[in-house]
């Protein structure tokens, strides 16, 4: 057809050319213009025919009774969520089991239909776990894929499963169950990192390191005290997650689209069966709320920031300038061009990946900020940030524990570095306070003592008593019991301080709490 049309057009143009001697070139050009135009029309017709044929082949949607046309391929591709929400398959099947059992108990389906549904769901779950299940984009999401597969498998009884249930409450049930499981995994990883840090502390008993404020040397601290500071932060991280878990552990199932149902369902039965505390009280809130995942991603973000700070500290300490730690080869990488390099890349990536976790939270906050009640399709976009946040934080925790188990503190290098910075200055001020000198006065006296050291190029403990007494008559022979980093650390005695006895007590607490043997 195309060739005939093109030949006819060319013949007409040639006859026109024979009547006019000028201009010939534009008319020749016209033949080149007409042919593509006709080809485009033919291509469009072919595309329309193919599209019509594809529509005839499409499976009728489970919600398609009111519709006369199928959605276009572009809309189907844009709106599908099966590419990521199939992650919820296990929770979806759990929810369906509980729902089917409740419907049977309430007389909304027969016991034999329930048994067929439960058996079919078991077979589908095995198929998914064996990698045999075919996820279909035209079935949109995890819920429709499983329900349609169940219908293919057992027939009419499967059509009763969606009684008194909407995808709105179904997806929230799945998602809350998934987040609950994810929290349990993250808390377990936090515990593992805490154990790794406590064991690292136990291996380095008595090692004093410089403590920093403003990244400037401040006071001497026991390394164990510093490591336990991160253990304390991680404990709060676990606590936030467990608090979040308690608040999210309420069931939306049976809230339906937004208004509940007039059918005699038992929401308390399904709530108990799924391990929830209770059903959510308000059906509109049940299907529109995303507080539980916002709180979850917020807790993850705080954990990520703590891990990033740990990563930053260890990256600095592994540098040649500090030289305080040496990571083993098993947790280091090299350079493609500089053969001498040994980089603490895992902790650099921990520091870097914190940005992803924070970004996931910001994505979800932005997603929710302008939504009216109740459910809106925008909320389909809540899954991927949550999945990414959990995957990333689990990886960060795992590699941080791995790094902690494979580093060595360079004790000799640290000892040689300790004298710089007059780390015992604050302890010297405390000495004067014990002599009855007001703190502001003692602060000034010690400041002038440090200035003398700077001019002489020496440490406070190297000053002679005569030199100290030129600054203040309150200095006496016993002052040297307060000078030097070892003496300074011994003088710390307040609860929670870096004093040896206090740190030993902290260690005992964590060894017991974390059941370290």
């Amino acid at each position: 057809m195309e060739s005939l049309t093109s030949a006819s057009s060319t013949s007409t143009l040639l006859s026109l050319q024979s009547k006019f001697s000028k201009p010939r070139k534009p008319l020749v050009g016209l033949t080149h213009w007409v042919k593509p135009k006709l080809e485009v029309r033919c291509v469009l017709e072919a595309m329309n025919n193919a599209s019509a044929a594809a529509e005839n082949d499409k499976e009728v949607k489970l919600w398609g009774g009111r519709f006369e046309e199928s959605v276009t391929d572009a809309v189907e591709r844009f709106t599908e969520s099966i590419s990521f929400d199939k992650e919820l398959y296990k929770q979806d099947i759990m929810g369906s089991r509980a729902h089917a059992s409740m419907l049977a108990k309430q007389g909304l389906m027969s016991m034999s239909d329930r048994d067929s549904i439960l058996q079919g769901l078991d077979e589908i779950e095995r198929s998914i776990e064996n990698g045999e299940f075919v996820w279909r984009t035209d079935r949109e999401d995890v819920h429709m894929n499983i329900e349609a597969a169940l219908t293919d498998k057992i027939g009419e009884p499967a059509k009763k499963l969606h009684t008194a249930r909407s995808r709105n409450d179904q997806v929230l049930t799945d998602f809350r169950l998934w987040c609950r499981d994810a929290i349990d995994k993250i808390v377990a990883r936090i515990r593992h990192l805490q154990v790794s840090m406590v064991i690292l502390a136990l291996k380095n008993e008595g090692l004093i390191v410089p403590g920093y404020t403003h990244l400037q040397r401040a006071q001497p601290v026991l390394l164990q005290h510093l490591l336990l500071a991160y253990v304390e932060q991680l404990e709060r991280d676990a606590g936030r997650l467990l608090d979040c878990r308690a608040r999210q552990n309420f069931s939306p199932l049976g809230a339906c689209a937004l208004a509940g149902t007039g059918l005699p369902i038992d929401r308390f039965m399904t709530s108990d069966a799924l391990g929830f505390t209770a059903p959510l009280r308000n059906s509109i809130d049940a299907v529109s709320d995303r507080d539980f995942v916002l709180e979850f991603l917020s807790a993850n973000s705080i954990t990520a920031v703590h891990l990033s700070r740990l990563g930053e500290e260890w990256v600095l300490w592994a540098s040649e300038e500090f030289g305080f730690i040496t990571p083993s080869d098993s947790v280091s990488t090299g350079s493609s061009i500089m053969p001498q390099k040994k980089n603490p890349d895992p902790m650099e990536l921990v520091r870097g990946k914190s940005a992803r976790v924070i970004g996931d939270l910001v994505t979800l906050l932005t997603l929710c900020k302008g939504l009216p009640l109740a459910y809106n399709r925008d909320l389909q976009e809540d899954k991927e940030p949550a999945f990414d946040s959990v995957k990333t934080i689990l990886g960060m925790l795992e590699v941080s524990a791995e790094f902690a188990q494979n580093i060595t503190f360079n004790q000799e290098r640290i000892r040689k570095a300790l004298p710089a910075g007059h780390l015992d200055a604050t302890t010297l001020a405390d000495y004067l306070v014990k002599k009855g000198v007001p703190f502001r006065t003692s602060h000034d006296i010690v400041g002038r003592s440090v200035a003398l050291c700077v001019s002489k190029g020496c440490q406070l403990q190297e000053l002679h008593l005569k030199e100290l007494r030129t600054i203040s008559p309150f200095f006496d022979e016993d002052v040297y019991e307060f000078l030097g980093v070892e003496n300074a650390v011994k003088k710390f005695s307040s609860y929670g301080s870096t004093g040896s006895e206090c740190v030993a007590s902290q260690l005992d607490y964590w060894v017991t709490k974390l059941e370290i043997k």
Side-chain angles (χ1 to χ4, degrees), residues 71-90:
V71 297
T72 67
D73 290 342
V75 168
E76 191 162 84
R77 286 192 302 272
F78 189 69
T79 57
E80 67 83 20
S81 60
I82 190 59
S83 57
F84 54 86
D85 69 13
K86 60 187 176 186
E87 171 88 9
L88 301 172
Y89 81 87
K90 190 175 286 292

Side-chain angles (χ1 to χ4, degrees), residues 13 23 132 169 188 204 245 269 335 344 403 412 417 432 513-514:
L13 289 169
E132 299 163 357
D169 63 329
N204 289 276
R245 189 190 193 282
M269 178 182 171
S335 164
F403 202 83
E412 192 56 35
L432 291 170
K513 183 176 178 63
L514 297 172

Side-chain angles (χ1 to χ4, degrees), residues 339-414:
Q340 84 282 10
K341 291 295 293 298
K342 182 176 178 180
N343 302 322
D345 278 12
M347 297 314 291
E348 291 179 50
L349 280 171
V350 164
R351 188 178 59 191
K353 284 181 182 289
S354 64
R356 288 181 66 130
V357 181
I358 295 165
D360 291 328
L361 170 62
V362 173
T363 295
L364 200 58
L365 285 166
T366 308
L367 175 70
C368 294
K369 75 173 184 62
L371 294 182
L373 295 177
Y375 182 80
N376 298 273
R377 190 64 181 270
D378 313 47
L379 292 171
Q380 177 176 298
E381 294 298 304
D382 61 357
K383 312 295 179 307
E384 289 178 288
F387 294 165
D388 183 70
S389 175
V390 169
K391 179 182 176 182
T392 305
I393 203 73
L394 284 170
M396 292 169 69
L397 286 162
E398 181 180 30
V399 82
S400 296
E402 197 86 356
F403 202 83
Q405 293 163 16
N406 288 278
I407 59 173
T408 303
F409 285 89
N410 303 322
Q411 298 197 17
E412 192 56 35
R413 174 75 175 262
I414 291 168

Side-chain angles (χ1 to χ4, degrees), residues 365-474:
L365 285 166
T366 308
L367 175 70
C368 294
K369 75 173 184 62
L371 294 182
L373 295 177
Y375 182 80
N376 298 273
R377 190 64 181 270
D378 313 47
L379 292 171
Q380 177 176 298
E381 294 298 304
D382 61 357
K383 312 295 179 307
E384 289 178 288
F387 294 165
D388 183 70
S389 175
V390 169
K391 179 182 176 182
T392 305
I393 203 73
L394 284 170
M396 292 169 69
L397 286 162
E398 181 180 30
V399 82
S400 296
E402 197 86 356
F403 202 83
Q405 293 163 16
N406 288 278
I407 59 173
T408 303
F409 285 89
N410 303 322
Q411 298 197 17
E412 192 56 35
R413 174 75 175 262
I414 291 168
R415 287 194 185 98
K416 287 180 178 178
L418 279 172
H422 308 290
L423 301 178
D424 48 358
T426 306
T427 309
L428 183 58
D430 290 345
Y431 165 83
L432 291 170
V433 168
K434 288 180 177 181
K435 294 284 186 177
V437 180
F439 179 77
R440 283 297 169 203
T441 305
S442 66
H443 186 287
D444 178 69
I445 292 168
V446 174
R448 286 187 282 131
S449 301
V450 169
L452 177 60
C453 288
V454 171
S455 68
K456 294 187 63 176
C458 68
Q459 302 300 312
L460 284 167
Q461 64 185 342
E462 294 172 337
L463 291 175
H464 297 297
L465 184 58
K466 285 183 179 179
E467 292 174 306
L468 288 169
R469 281 180 169 166
T470 61
I471 300 170
S472 171
F474 288 97

Side-chain angles (χ1 to χ4, degrees), residues 104 109-120 154 157-158 160:
M109 72 165 62
S110 68
M111 292 296 179
S112 62
D113 284 347
R114 178 204 65 184
D115 293 343
S116 295
I117 287 170
L118 295 180
Q119 183 179 343
I154 68 170
K160 298 180 181 180

Side-chain angles (χ1 to χ4, degrees), residues 25-38:
K25 287 185 179 179
L27 289 171
V28 173
L30 186 59
T31 65
H32 295 292
W33 177 79
V34 170
K35 185 174 180 179
K37 182 177 181 182
L38 292 169

